[in-house]
Amino acid sequence: GGGYWLGRRALQLAARAYDGREENSTLLARLLAALTLADFDDLVRWSVSASPAQIAALAPQLLAAARDGEPVARRVVEEAAAELTTLVTALLRHFPGAEPVPVATMGGLLDPDSPLTAALGRALRDRAPRARWVDRPVDPPAAALRLAARLLEDR
């Protein structure tokens, strides 16, 4: 459900639309423009040597298509939210009891206006009701240290 996953899906959907296996969308045009490439063949050549970071950098194109209402992109955003919620659900097993568990996210793909943010919020409410999304910036190393200190106090 992260940037690399979304970027890979954007490439897959663009290829599927190009050869007629998926409904038409603007993803191919968005990817070509973002990468300043001329055509689909150029995109294939680019993708062969692209790093994970370069592929992850395509995620905003898919999110923009979803924000613009493209059904294929919206479906992928819902899939991404489901994957992230599955991860949260798996991690919740490490927190026995019934009390809420704070869940923080990080990264630019989950800004307040992102369709992924909205989809993740819905998915967490539906499938992980104990999860309480922390909607303020969190410093991951500092939060990890606070959690470790709390765990040590409980011993």
Side-chain angles (χ1 to χ4, degrees):
Y4 178 71
W5 188 90
L6 287 166
R8 278 189 39 229
R9 291 291 285 136
L11 288 168
Q12 291 168 343
L13 291 171
R16 291 176 67 85
Y18 179 78
D19 64 19
R21 292 179 293 146
E22 186 66 67
E23 64 188 82
N24 211 5
S25 78
T26 62
L27 274 174
L28 178 56
R30 289 172 191 262
L31 297 179
L32 292 175
L35 297 168
T36 61
L37 299 173
D39 57 28
F40 179 73
D41 291 337
D42 288 344
L43 181 62
V44 171
R45 282 188 284 279
W46 175 88
S47 68
V48 170
S49 61
S51 70
Q54 290 172 308
I55 291 172
L58 299 176
Q61 302 307 316
L62 187 131
L63 294 178
R67 190 177 299 112
D68 290 344
E70 293 193 28
V72 67
R74 292 178 77 158
R75 279 195 309 271
V76 171
V77 168
E78 293 296 327
E79 290 171 18
E83 288 294 325
L84 292 170
T85 301
T86 299
L87 175 60
V88 169
T89 302
L91 293 172
L92 286 175
R93 292 187 209 124
H94 296 281
F95 297 87
E99 65 278 349
V101 176
V103 174
T105 60
M106 58 183 264
L109 299 179
L110 289 165
D111 66 46
D113 296 326
S114 171
L116 181 56
T117 303
L120 181 57
R122 287 190 303 273
L124 287 173
R125 279 190 303 277
D126 294 346
R127 294 185 40 220
R130 285 184 57 215
R132 292 294 176 263
W133 193 344
V134 177
D135 62 352
R136 64 186 184 288
V138 175
D139 179 0
L145 288 173
R146 280 193 304 274
L147 180 59
R150 220 177 300 139
L151 290 172
L152 287 173
E153 289 172 6
D154 293 342
R155 288 186 156 203

